[in-house]
Amino acid sequence: MLSSTENNEEEIKEEEQAKILVNNNDNQELNQEEKEQLTTTKTTNEEFLIREEGENKISFQSIGGATHLITINNSLRIACDPVLCPKNTIQNYGFFKSKRLQEPIYNKEELQKVNLWLLTHGHEDHLDKFGMDMINYQSNKNQQNNYQQNNEQPIIIAHKSCKIKNQKVIFLETDTCHFIENCNGFQIKIRAIPAIHSTNVMLGKLIGNANGYLVQVNNNLKKPICTFYITGDSVFNKEITVPYFQTQSLFPTIVNNHNNNKTNQEFNKIDFIIANAGGAHVNNSNSNTLLSKFIGRITNNKNDIIELTRELNPIRNTFVIHHGTFEHYLEKLERNDFEKIDERIQVVFPGEVIEWLA
């Protein structure tokens, strides 16, 4: 039998042990909380990490037609010209009709996370209802719950011919620049390059010219990760296009007529080109109208792709898209069409993803 003193001592010990147990549990909860915070911080740092040269992961995916997606470090997503109608859709251009021959291949969730859309022009094989719905998805209040919290609406850079209503759209005139200081942790510089939609400048105006886009992506220390050129629907014109790559700065703050800019003897290097091909005409493969013969082709063919690659001399690749998707893309391409001419020229098909480190 314990004395009252011994009972008191035992009670004190039990209270102290209980306090220790409570404190340990509190510490465990705090440690777990800290771990979660550390994990969150680590994830964020991995996304926006200042990587050394050769450690930035870049991927290029063809979706079909002119539609493509560029992803940098699994964080920044830049997409262009969403035409997402299903196979066998018939588009009406007034002068002619054209049927879609290939299904678009894409991950819907990835396109819903796009940070920057680049729209070269308003023709239906570059921006259709399905593509418009995809762009506006993040603005749709009825579907906000499908998005992660704090997911910002995408920035949209568009040619003036694009009929799009969105609070984030910026219509960029040819030969002007736009700077985005913070796009999901990256700085982006964009310059609109004229895309002549014909072999003839005046006929291009009749068809409806477009924007090509010269784009530079920098990390948050404003150091370049990559610079690339999207041709848009055009036929390569050396006299018009090449001077843009010989100016003292690819992205001048104030852009005057590029012929008046001082030029360098050396080119400003670009990493890769995304070139629209297909030798498109204003007719489909089942007709050959007088108008089509008069206007001629309205996008690059094989010879144009070879010339623009030689003249602009990308460090890495020319990715060739916009072929085989619609009936009016008359020139069909095979994977090995350029192998013996220039290994940098790579024909890309819908759904294919190319990845590398930069």
Side-chain angles (χ1 to χ4, degrees):
M1 187 172 179
L2 295 173
S3 66
S4 61
T5 305
E6 289 174 334
N7 281 333
N8 289 338
E9 289 178 354
E10 190 68 29
E11 288 175 2
I12 291 171
K13 285 181 181 179
E14 288 178 359
E15 287 178 4
E16 288 177 349
Q17 287 174 356
K19 288 180 181 179
I20 292 170
L21 183 60
V22 170
N23 288 337
N24 284 342
N25 287 337
D26 287 345
N27 287 337
Q28 285 176 3
E29 290 176 4
L30 184 61
N31 289 338
Q32 183 62 30
E33 209 172 286
E34 288 175 344
K35 286 178 182 177
E36 289 176 357
Q37 289 177 353
L38 287 172
T39 303
T40 304
T41 305
K42 183 179 180 183
T43 303
T44 304
N45 286 342
E46 284 177 353
E47 289 178 352
F48 305 113
L49 186 66
I50 307 302
R51 290 169 164 84
E52 297 295 331
E53 184 175 345
E55 293 181 351
N56 293 285
K57 182 181 178 182
I58 302 176
S59 72
F60 171 81
Q61 178 185 357
S62 171
I63 291 172
T67 313
H68 60 271
L69 173 66
I70 298 166
T71 305
I72 299 176
N73 293 336
N74 297 317
S75 176
L76 178 67
R77 293 169 179 84
I78 302 172
C80 183
D81 286 358
V83 52
L84 304 174
C85 61
K87 182 180 178 180
N88 295 324
T89 297
I90 296 176
Q91 295 184 342
N92 190 339
Y93 296 91
F95 300 120
F96 68 100
K97 296 179 180 179
S98 184
K99 182 169 70 174
R100 183 160 196 157
L101 305 175
Q102 301 169 332
E103 289 284 1
I105 302 176
Y106 62 97
N107 183 314
K108 184 177 179 180
E109 291 183 358
E110 285 296 303
L111 283 191
Q112 289 171 351
K113 296 176 183 177
V114 165
N115 308 106
L116 171 64
W117 286 98
L118 299 173
L119 309 181
T120 63
H121 64 303
H123 288 166
E124 194 177 0
D125 62 330
H126 289 255
L127 180 63
D128 66 357
K129 178 186 179 301
F130 297 89
M132 193 82 72
D133 288 344
M134 181 63 72
I135 291 175
N136 290 328
Y137 187 86
Q138 284 173 289
S139 302
N140 190 334
K141 294 181 180 179
N142 294 328
Q143 302 190 43
Q144 281 294 326
N145 291 334
N146 291 339
Y147 272 86
Q148 297 177 2
Q149 292 182 352
N150 301 323
N151 192 22
E152 296 180 356
Q153 293 184 12
I155 298 169
I156 305 160
I157 302 294
H159 183 264
K160 60 185 179 182
S161 64
C162 296
K163 297 178 181 179
I164 181 171
K165 294 180 180 179
N166 190 295
Q167 62 183 6
K168 287 284 187 178
V169 67
I170 299 164
F171 291 102
L172 199 60
E173 293 288 335
T174 300
D175 205 10
T176 58
C177 293
H178 183 73
F179 298 83
I180 304 171
E181 283 298 328
N182 186 358
C183 184
N184 204 31
F186 297 83
Q187 183 199 66
I188 302 177
K189 299 179 180 181
I190 304 166
R191 187 176 186 181
I193 307 293
I196 308 302
H197 210 341
S198 172
T199 55
N200 180 281
V201 175
M202 295 305 297
L203 289 177
K205 292 181 179 180
L206 173 65
I207 299 299
N209 287 326
N211 281 344
Y213 291 112
L214 182 60
V215 182
Q216 183 179 87
V217 178
N218 300 329
N219 62 25
N220 55 17
L221 292 182
K222 300 183 180 180
K223 293 185 178 179
I225 294 174
C226 63
T227 304
F228 56 92
Y229 169 47
I230 299 170
T231 68
D233 267 9
S234 61
V235 177
F236 180 67
N237 185 312
K238 179 179 177 180
E239 287 70 28
I240 292 176
T241 305
V242 168
Y244 283 91
F245 297 85
Q246 292 178 318
T247 55
Q248 287 186 327
S249 172
L250 289 176
F251 303 93
T253 304
I254 300 176
V255 183
N256 299 313
N257 186 316
H258 67 274
N259 290 324
N260 295 329
N261 287 343
K262 295 181 179 179
T263 60
N264 294 325
Q265 292 181 350
E266 296 295 328
F267 263 53
N268 286 295
K269 290 291 186 180
I270 54 176
D271 295 289
F272 58 96
I273 298 170
I274 301 160
N276 289 6
H281 282 64
V282 291
N283 68 285
N284 60 38
S285 57
N286 298 314
S287 65
N288 193 5
T289 64
L290 289 175
L291 181 63
S292 175
K293 289 180 179 180
F294 173 70
I295 293 177
R297 57 192 169 79
I298 57 176
T299 64
N300 294 305
N301 64 12
K302 292 179 184 177
N303 290 333
D304 298 317
I305 299 297
I306 294 168
E307 184 182 7
L308 76 86
T309 302
R310 182 179 65 246
E311 293 293 336
L312 302 184
N313 195 26
I315 296 171
R316 184 174 179 84
N317 286 104
T318 295
F319 297 121
V320 184
I321 59 172
H322 193 277
H323 55 88
T325 306
F326 285 93
E327 285 181 321
H328 66 290
Y329 302 174
L330 299 187
E331 185 179 65
K332 309 303 179 186
L333 295 179
E334 301 294 335
R335 190 176 302 281
N336 59 355
D337 279 348
F338 300 97
E339 278 184 1
K340 296 181 179 179
I341 301 169
D342 192 327
E343 292 182 349
R344 293 175 299 176
I345 304 175
Q346 189 165 351
V347 180
V348 190
F349 294 87
E352 293 184 343
V353 179
I354 301 165
E355 297 181 340
W356 69 94
L357 294 176

